Amino acid sequence: MSATIVSAVDVSVKDIPEVCYIPLKFIIAEKSRLNVRKHNTDSPEFIKGIKSLAATIASQGLLMNLILHVETVVDEETYYGVAVGYRRRSALEILLESGLITPDYMVKAIILNDTDALFASVTENNDREDMHPSDLIGAFTLFVERGHSVGDIALKFGYSSRYVNQMLRLSSMAPKLIEFLAEDKISVEQLQALAICDNHEKQVLAWNNSWNKDPASLRRSILEDEKEVKKSDTFRFIGKEAYVKAGGEIRHDLFSIDEEDGGYIKDPLLMDSLAIEKLEKLALEIAEKEGWSWSIGQLRLDQYGDDKKRFDFPSRVNRDLIKLSESQENAVNKLTIKIDNAKSLLESHRQADQRDHSKIRKLESSLSDLIEKRDDIYTQASYTDEYRSERGVIAYLDYRGN
């Protein structure tokens, strides 16, 4: 029976940083540029956790060291930033302000160079819980600025090079959208869809103007270079004069150059932006005139999709419970007579041996308008002052551009 002999290997660990003690007054309280976790550090939960940690340190002392890096030197005194341990430093600040410790309180720490401190910050934060994408983008960017390659970053943190490249690509997005990412108002997938275009203005316009914000729709929106004037309800709504005045261009070909409503809209994002601006003004005018509490303008309204999650749409009110004024009741009675007459006339045309379909369509449209007018009276009567104080106005374009 043979045995496997394993020889001992002498492994030496080099350059282990030593723990030292630094007076609290030389450790900067503000968050360090090398501390990569920026997300939710001012939330109520975060602040509550710091207060709890302060109580623990007061009773047990500071059990874990901070990881510091040199931030600045003033009058031959070195001041340190906290790469790892921001919560502990914040808790010590609470104890300092409450008089439980002094500025000379000795803090257990390890001092690293900037690169190692940054690496420690990413490792510590990512091991504790998955870092927020906005923090990860900032961390990767800092490493690249310090001369590290994509492959080096991927190897250090266990990501694929493709993933690191994707996150670095997002660092060049419009600053406003990066802010939205940090605030969880936009997802990484949505941001990646907009990244197909390098123009910051177009990125923001595409985000603001898209009523459907799934990644595929955002990608289509930002790639859509031109729209035909004749087929654009949005263009008809804002008008050619407003579009051209704002710097918009219309491209003509040989077939459309002589047509008043011909050509192609070269900047559909600008067109959409102008439409939203006009809709917002209309919504505000209605809200101020009728006493609604808020107003908003958007290109489309999806009562069964995303907008259903954002808004509480009113349900139908029982008309028997609505109190009409005398003038409203008179108007309703007159409209009811017209509606009954229109229904009779429409039915007779439908029953005719020789049907005039063009005439029938006109009668149907006329009847629909009369019913809508009567419905509007009931709707307005149901909107009490209290009801208006809790709700607002949404101005939007329907699928006919109205």
Side-chain angles (χ1 to χ4, degrees):
M1 186 175 182
S2 62
T4 303
I5 301 175
V6 181
S7 59
V9 180
D10 180 20
V11 179
S12 61
V13 181
K14 299 179 180 179
D15 300 326
I16 297 178
E18 293 184 0
V19 174
C20 59
Y21 288 84
I22 306 292
L24 180 63
K25 62 186 177 184
F26 295 126
I27 303 175
I28 299 169
E30 289 76 21
K31 177 162 283 194
S32 162
R33 58 191 165 83
L34 299 184
N35 190 311
V36 296
R37 188 173 289 278
K38 316 291 185 185
H39 185 68
N40 279 345
T41 55
D42 57 354
S43 67
E45 294 79 10
F46 186 83
I47 295 170
K48 182 180 179 181
I50 289 175
K51 291 178 178 178
S52 176
L53 181 58
T56 301
I57 294 173
S59 64
Q60 302 178 17
L62 184 63
L63 301 179
M64 295 180 63
N65 62 270
L66 307 184
I67 294 182
L68 309 179
H69 63 93
V70 176
E71 183 62 52
T72 187
V73 177
V74 179
D75 296 332
E76 298 185 355
E77 295 285 6
T78 303
Y79 290 84
Y80 300 92
V82 181
V84 176
Y86 173 69
R87 290 176 72 252
R88 277 160 270 160
R89 177 60 183 87
S90 300
L92 289 171
E93 190 69 16
I94 291 176
L95 297 180
L96 177 64
E97 291 173 355
S98 63
L100 294 175
I101 60 175
T102 69
D104 292 316
Y105 178 86
M106 301 302 286
V107 179
K108 184 165 59 173
I110 292 175
I111 301 172
L112 300 177
N113 61 48
D114 280 10
T115 298
D116 289 343
L118 179 59
F119 176 74
S121 179
V122 175
T123 303
E124 193 263 353
N125 280 293
N126 219 23
D127 284 349
R128 183 152 49 97
E129 59 177 298
D130 287 344
M131 286 176 62
H132 192 273
S134 61
D135 291 341
L136 209 53
I137 290 169
F140 289 169
T141 303
L142 284 173
F143 273 107
V144 170
E145 289 173 354
R146 281 164 173 73
H148 291 266
S149 68
V150 169
D152 187 25
I153 297 169
L155 186 62
K156 278 181 180 291
F157 301 109
Y159 294 107
S160 68
S161 295
R162 181 172 179 270
Y163 178 77
V164 174
N165 267 319
Q166 286 176 337
M167 301 304 279
L168 286 170
R169 172 70 180 86
L170 296 183
S171 69
S172 63
M173 295 291 289
K176 191 66 178 177
L177 296 180
I178 295 296
E179 287 179 23
F180 286 166
L181 179 66
E183 296 166 2
D184 293 322
K185 294 179 179 178
I186 188 172
S187 69
V188 169
E189 291 74 19
Q190 291 168 322
L191 207 57
Q192 287 173 334
L194 295 170
I196 199 166
C197 169
D198 293 326
N199 186 295
H200 284 182
E201 185 179 359
K202 282 191 173 183
Q203 290 171 354
V204 175
L205 281 173
W207 173 256
N208 290 337
N209 297 350
S210 298
W211 64 281
N212 189 343
K213 296 188 186 297
D214 67 83
S217 298
L218 288 170
R219 191 176 292 107
R220 283 195 299 271
S221 174
I222 205 165
L223 287 176
E224 194 167 26
D225 291 333
E226 296 184 354
K227 290 183 178 179
E228 193 172 353
V229 170
K230 286 181 179 179
K231 296 180 179 179
S232 175
D233 296 329
T234 306
F235 188 84
R236 187 161 53 251
F237 172 70
I238 64 170
K240 180 179 179 180
E241 183 179 351
Y243 173 74
V244 173
K245 186 177 180 181
E249 296 182 43
I250 298 175
R251 180 180 65 81
H252 289 280
D253 55 22
L254 292 175
F255 302 98
S256 66
I257 194 166
D258 295 324
E259 297 178 355
E260 179 63 27
D261 61 346
Y264 298 86
I265 303 156
K266 292 189 68 174
D267 196 343
L269 289 175
L270 172 63
M271 174 189 69
D272 290 345
S273 183
L274 292 171
I276 290 175
E277 183 179 337
K278 185 174 179 179
L279 288 165
E280 286 175 342
K281 288 180 180 178
L282 289 172
L284 180 60
E285 288 174 6
I286 295 170
E288 291 179 343
K289 180 180 179 182
E290 300 182 3
W292 298 94
S293 64
W294 53 266
S295 63
I296 191 172
Q298 57 187 58
L299 289 180
R300 297 286 182 262
L301 187 68
D302 183 6
Q303 296 192 34
Y304 304 99
D306 289 340
D307 287 325
K308 187 177 181 180
K309 302 174 186 175
R310 298 170 60 204
F311 304 112
D312 178 21
F313 293 106
S315 55
R316 289 187 176 275
V317 181
N318 187 340
R319 289 183 178 176
D320 294 336
L321 302 178
I322 298 175
K323 293 182 180 180
L324 299 175
S325 66
E326 185 177 346
S327 61
Q328 287 173 330
E329 192 168 351
N330 289 335
V332 165
N333 291 336
K334 290 178 181 178
L335 284 168
T336 300
I337 293 172
K338 290 181 178 180
I339 289 169
D340 291 340
N341 291 336
K343 285 181 178 178
S344 298
L345 183 59
L346 176 59
E347 187 61 25
S348 64
H349 276 78
R350 285 173 173 170
Q351 298 297 329
D353 294 334
Q354 297 292 328
R355 295 180 184 176
D356 185 341
H357 293 287
S358 176
K359 180 67 173 177
I360 288 174
R361 283 194 295 272
K362 288 181 181 179
L363 290 172
E364 288 174 338
S365 178
S366 177
L367 175 60
S368 178
D369 289 342
L370 290 170
I371 292 174
E372 186 175 340
K373 287 179 181 178
R374 186 175 65 179
D375 288 345
D376 284 345
I377 294 174
Y378 278 109
T379 299
Q380 289 298 321
S382 69
Y383 294 157
T384 62
D385 291 342
E386 182 182 0
Y387 184 91
R388 293 171 196 261
S389 70
E390 298 173 347
R391 293 179 178 267
V393 176
I394 305 174
Y396 66 96
L397 297 177
D398 63 19
Y399 291 98
R400 293 174 293 177
N402 298 321

